[in-house]
Amino acid sequence: MTKINEDHFAAASGVIAGGVNSPVRAWKSVGGEPIFVSHAKGSKIYDTTSKEYIDYVLSWGPMILGHAHPEVIAAICRTAQKGTSFGAPTDAETNMARLICEAIPSIERVRMTSSGTEATMTAIRLSRGYTGRNMIIKFDGCYHGHADSLLIKAGSGITTLGIPGSAGIPEAMARLTLSLPYNDTNALEKAIECYAADLAAVIVEPVAGNMGVVLPQEGFLKKMRELTAKNGIVLIFDEVITGFRFSFGGYQNLIGITPDLTCLGKIIGGGMPVGAVGGKKEIMERLAPMGDVYQAGTLSGNPLAMSAGASTLKILKTKAAAFALLTDQVNGLCREMEKLFSQRGIAACINQIFSMFTVFFQEGPVLDLSSALKSNAGLYARFFHGMLQNGVWLAPSQFEAGFLSFAHTDRDIDRTLDACFKTLKNL
Ligand code: HOZ
């Protein structure tokens, strides 16, 4: 790492708590000090010394079109000329809501927020208000933002830092959240049998992306839908990461399972701060001002975010064939990397689905948090630094997802494989 980057972190640490505005960025689990970014374009991100990296973090998922896509930037600039926040309704919000409702049929009504955390927090409150019950089920290693009810055995920074949860959450609150092993249908069945009358919601990442990528096993989500429907429990799909990442719509469109509520974020903001909660009209209309469940936000439906999001979604709508090609490209990358690991005799397994992947340093399979935690995080850290030195920017944690964009080229893939080859030689 260059002296210049160290200076940036030292300066930040003097005024920002921990030097970062979100914990995983601090590189605590891979060691060293975080590289500061100056700009990004397409598939590349640049540090403050102008060193170029091929970016597989993509702002943790949103930049599916690549960084600074010209149409998205033009839309933001046009909008900015007319004012950046009104705190009053605009047609841009209706336009955005229409795009979402058309793409994801389970969403009959939507409410925009400024982050995924606000979306999941609202979904939980709404479920509690709607059912008149208090308890919720989540799954170990799933991360649904940092609202109190959802930080129990959470993935992302909580898993990265190896901490059980967060201080500051009243025990009485924590007791209302049951966290079960991901993919464990029996545990879910038992918990619902025991607590059905008290359960307001089951919330799940239908593809887990915050303990590394973990795929739902056959029948897990289907059974979840059956059990929740049978017991009057609201099923919430957290599609903040998966929404519009695999196709124009949610992962739910592809698997034919209809949740009651869906949380969105990331891609629908085109790189601007956005979240959304949507679902059945009957539940959504419990939100104030029509209903008795309160939720609000000065910057909700912000014009800049709406223009970046709508222009991103409009471009994605035209990319049905390109989504398939992107998956082929990621498949190719992951299979070639697997070969390199095996040639070097390094135990690694790659979980991949469409354009999301994680290299776990272990034999696998990785099906839940406890199996993810068996990974050799120290080896991941050395791999991360080696790749970085060779111009590839991966997530600074074993327990996060990698992403590709439509801007990644075959040359990027070749360069990544070359970086991988060089890194593994010295691992
Ligand atoms: N929680 C995010 C990853 N799953 C990290 C957010 C950030 O640091 O920007």
Side-chain angles (χ1 to χ4, degrees):
M1 189 191 332
T2 64
K3 180 78 173 63
I4 292 178
N5 275 310
E6 280 172 22
D7 289 348
H8 283 278
F9 189 57
S13 301
V15 280
I16 297 174
V20 288
N21 284 313
S22 192
V24 185
R25 297 180 198 175
W27 288 20
K28 287 287 179 220
S29 73
V30 291
E33 290 182 349
I35 287 180
F36 275 55
V37 172
S38 95
H39 64 286
K41 178 78 190 154
S43 60
K44 312 295 186 314
I45 192 161
Y46 299 84
D47 71 15
T48 51
T49 69
S50 293
K51 178 171 172 173
E52 177 183 282
Y53 306 84
I54 303 167
D55 186 10
Y56 290 98
V57 178
L58 296 174
S59 185
W60 307 97
M63 312 315 301
I64 192 166
L65 298 177
H67 292 284
H69 187 284
E71 282 176 51
V72 179
I73 299 301
I76 294 171
C77 293
R78 275 195 308 273
T79 303
Q81 299 290 339
K82 299 196 230 157
T84 56
S85 183
F86 313 123
T90 62
D91 286 338
E93 293 159 80
T94 313
N95 177 27
M96 182 70 182
R98 204 171 276 139
L99 279 166
I100 292 173
C101 292
E102 277 168 15
I104 304 181
S106 73
I107 302 186
E108 296 170 347
R109 294 289 184 275
V110 67
R111 174 68 61 90
M112 303 306 302
T113 62
S114 294
S115 68
T117 288
E118 286 174 65
T120 54
M121 184 182 73
T122 303
I124 297 295
R125 187 178 305 138
L126 200 43
S127 305
R128 287 179 166 146
Y130 176 72
T131 59
R133 305 170 181 173
N134 289 331
M135 288 179 74
I136 61 163
I137 288 178
K138 70 172 285 292
F139 296 91
D140 303 347
C142 284
Y143 178 73
H144 306 286
H146 59 93
D148 286 351
S149 301
L150 295 166
L151 272 185
I152 319 294
K153 291 195 188 164
S156 192
I158 297 288
T159 302
T160 297
L161 299 174
I163 53 178
S166 169
I169 297 172
E171 215 185 295
M173 187 84 186
R175 259 191 264 116
L176 296 176
T177 302
L178 289 180
S179 192
L180 305 177
Y182 195 75
N183 274 325
D184 190 337
T185 308
N186 288 335
L188 178 64
E189 207 160 359
K190 277 195 197 130
I192 292 187
E193 216 175 275
C194 260
Y195 298 105
D198 297 316
L199 280 167
V202 173
I203 184 165
V204 68
E205 288 182 85
V207 171
N210 285 287
M211 48 180 145
V213 173
V214 176
L215 278 59
Q217 296 300 288
E218 184 73 39
F220 177 56
L221 298 171
K222 191 162 173 266
K223 190 75 186 171
M224 193 181 295
R225 179 62 286 187
E226 278 168 27
L227 291 169
T228 47
K230 196 170 140 207
N231 291 284
I233 301 165
V234 176
L235 178 60
I236 306 167
F237 271 13
D238 178 345
E239 295 226 43
V240 167
I241 290 180
T242 54
F244 297 91
R245 170 136 289 276
F246 305 148
S247 66
F248 188 74
Y251 180 58
Q252 59 191 267
N253 301 43
L254 303 176
I255 56 172
I257 296 180
T258 307
D260 301 304
L261 294 178
T262 299
C263 299
L264 296 167
K266 301 204 190 264
I267 287 176
I268 63 158
M272 298 292 283
V274 153
V277 53
K280 275 191 183 148
K281 179 170 177 263
E282 185 190 332
I283 306 179
M284 289 301 295
E285 291 195 339
R286 288 294 293 268
L287 279 178
M290 275 191 96
D292 52 358
V293 177
Y294 201 72
Q295 182 276 342
T298 297
L299 292 167
S300 296
N302 172 267
L304 292 180
M306 295 302 96
S307 64
S311 67
T312 298
L313 293 191
K314 280 180 194 149
I315 295 168
L316 289 179
K317 204 170 180 178
T318 66
K319 287 204 176 283
F323 270 110
L325 292 175
L326 180 59
T327 300
D328 289 347
Q329 193 183 39
V330 187
N331 253 319
L333 171 69
C334 292
R335 303 301 75 85
E336 288 305 314
M337 277 173 78
E338 276 168 353
K339 280 187 207 156
L340 294 176
F341 288 119
S342 124
Q343 278 159 18
R344 294 289 303 165
I346 293 171
C349 82
I350 303 184
N351 279 1
Q352 180 230 332
I353 178 164
F354 300 97
S355 57
M356 280 171 74
F357 70 98
T358 296
V359 181
F360 290 102
F361 282 85
Q362 58 158 301
E363 295 289 353
V366 178
L367 304 172
D368 55 15
L369 181 62
S370 67
S371 49
L373 288 171
K374 289 184 187 141
S375 308
N376 185 339
L379 201 53
Y380 180 85
R382 281 159 54 204
F383 180 67
F384 165 83
H385 282 290
M387 292 296 274
L388 204 62
Q389 243 169 27
N390 287 297
V392 176
W393 185 284
L394 298 173
S397 164
Q398 169 68 100
F399 307 108
E400 294 284 358
F403 300 95
L404 269 82
S405 73
F406 290 113
H408 283 72
T409 61
D410 289 344
R411 183 164 149 65
D412 290 333
I413 303 296
D414 290 344
R415 280 176 58 191
T416 304
L417 289 170
D418 188 48
C420 185
F421 178 79
K422 288 183 182 142
T423 301
L424 294 186
K425 260 193 357 200
N426 300 313
L427 207 63

